[in-house]
C-alpha cells in the first residue's frame, strides 16, 4: 500500500499500487487541485508542492502544466474534436507515460498505467474493468494520439461521461483532467517527460 498526503490541504491518498518512475511523476490533488511532484526515496513517497491551486481557475485542466504542448483552448465542440483528429493515428508518445487513477468509487486507490493508445473503460471485458454497478458494460474510451492529443469518447453509456463536471460525448483531455463515470471519479496522470 502506497500512502501520501497533499502538502497543501493534507488530503490523504492511498493506492494499492502506484508506479512512480525514477524520474518522478506529477500528481494533482482531487480536493484542492494543487500540483505536486512525487518521487520515491528508500521505498517512501516524497511529495513536493509545485503549485498551489488557483481559486480563480475555471477548471482543473487549466491549472496543470502540460510539458509537451502549448496551452490550448479546452472548449472544443465534438465536431471540432473530430475534425482535429482527421489524419492522426493512435499511438503512445515517446518519453511520456500516462496512468488513470481512481479517486472515488468502489475501486478507489486503483492505478492503471496506460501501456496502449486506446483504453476502453467499463464493467466487463474492457481494458479497465470497474466494480461500479452504475458504469455501463463499455462506458467510455481513452484515445492517445501521440504528442498531439488525448481524447475521451463516451460509448453511448447509460449515465454519460463527465469531464471536469461537464457532460461530454467526445472531448480533449490533459493531465489532471477528471472523468466522472457512474459513481467513479478517474484522473489522468502524466509522469514527467523524459528527454528523447
Amino acid at each position: 500500500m502506497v500512502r501520501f498526503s497533499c502538502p497543501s490541504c493534507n488530503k490523504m491518498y492511498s493506492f494499492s499500487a502506484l508506479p512512480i518512475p525514477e524520474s518522478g511523476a506529477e500528481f494533482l490533488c482531487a480536493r484542492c487541485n494543487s500540483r505536486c511532484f512525487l518521487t520515491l526515496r528508500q521505498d517512501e513517497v516524497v511529495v513536493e508542492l509545485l503549485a498551489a491551486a488557483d481559486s480563480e481557475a475555471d477548471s482543473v485542466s487549466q491549472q496543470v502544466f502540460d510539458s509537451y504542448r502549448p496551452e490550448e483552448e479546452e472548449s472544443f465542440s465534438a465536431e471540432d474534436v473530430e475534425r482535429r483528429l482527421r489524419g492522426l493515428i493512435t499511438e503512445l508518445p515517446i518519453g511520456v507515460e500516462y496512468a488513470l487513477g481512481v479517486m472515488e468509487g468502489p475501486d478507489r486507490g486503483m492505478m492503471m498505467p496506460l501501456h496502449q493508445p486506446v483504453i476502453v473503460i467499463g464493467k466487463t471485458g474492457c481494458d479497465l474493468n470497474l466494480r461500479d454497478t452504475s458504469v455501463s458494460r463499455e462506458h467510455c474510451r481513452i484515445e492517445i494520439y501521440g504528442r498531439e492529443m488525448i481524447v475521451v469518447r463516451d460509448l453511448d453509456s447509460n449515465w454519460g461521461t463527465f469531464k471536469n463536471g461537464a457532460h461530454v460525448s467526445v472531448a480533449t483531455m490533459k493531465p489532471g483532467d477528471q472523468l466522472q463515470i457512474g459513481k467513479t471519479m478517474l484522473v489522468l496522470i502524466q509522469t514527467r517527460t523524459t528527454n528523447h
Side-chain angles (χ1 to χ4, degrees):
M1 190 64 72
V2 179
R3 293 181 196 229
F4 62 91
S5 63
C6 171
S8 183
C9 71
N10 295 319
K11 176 174 174 57
M12 283 298 300
Y13 290 94
S14 178
F15 295 96
S16 55
L18 187 62
I20 301 175
E22 288 181 19
S23 59
E26 286 192 20
F27 183 82
L28 186 75
C29 179
R31 177 189 288 162
C32 72
N33 294 331
S34 292
R35 256 182 51 234
C36 306
F37 190 70
L38 309 178
T39 53
L40 278 177
R41 288 193 196 135
Q42 299 174 346
D43 294 329
E44 287 190 24
V45 178
V46 177
V47 184
E48 174 187 350
L49 182 64
L50 293 178
D54 178 4
S55 60
E56 300 297 316
D58 294 329
S59 72
V60 171
S61 64
Q62 293 173 344
Q63 300 170 28
V64 177
F65 173 72
D66 188 348
S67 62
Y68 65 89
R69 61 188 158 126
E71 286 201 25
E72 300 174 357
E73 178 60 42
E74 286 294 316
S75 60
F76 297 116
S77 70
E79 293 80 21
D80 288 339
V81 173
E82 295 293 358
R83 182 181 46 76
R84 294 180 74 213
L85 289 176
R86 286 188 201 133
L88 296 180
I89 59 168
T90 56
E91 62 181 351
L92 292 174
I94 296 173
V96 180
E97 295 178 4
Y98 296 103
L100 284 174
V102 181
M103 307 306 290
E104 296 175 15
D107 296 292
R108 184 176 179 257
M110 183 171 71
M111 179 77 76
M112 180 189 178
L114 304 183
H115 295 303
Q116 57 196 50
V118 177
I119 303 290
V120 176
I121 304 167
K123 263 195 301 208
T124 56
C126 298
D127 302 302
L128 175 54
N129 296 308
L130 300 170
R131 293 180 293 165
D132 186 344
T133 56
S134 60
V135 168
S136 296
R137 191 172 69 79
E138 289 187 346
H139 198 103
C140 66
R141 183 171 63 224
I142 304 288
E143 303 167 0
I144 301 172
Y145 293 88
R147 290 179 174 256
E148 297 299 318
M149 196 180 317
I150 302 170
V151 168
V152 59
R153 189 182 301 274
D154 185 76
L155 299 176
D156 295 322
S157 62
N158 292 331
W159 302 107
T161 300
F162 297 82
K163 179 191 124 180
N164 297 333
H167 184 263
V168 295
S169 59
V170 59
T172 59
M173 290 189 68
K174 290 169 72 176
D177 281 345
Q178 296 177 347
L179 287 181
Q180 180 83 40
I181 59 171
K183 296 175 184 169
T184 298
M185 176 74 75
L186 303 165
V187 63
L188 180 66
I189 300 168
Q190 174 189 333
T191 61
R192 183 166 278 186
T193 306
T194 58
N195 295 324
H196 278 94

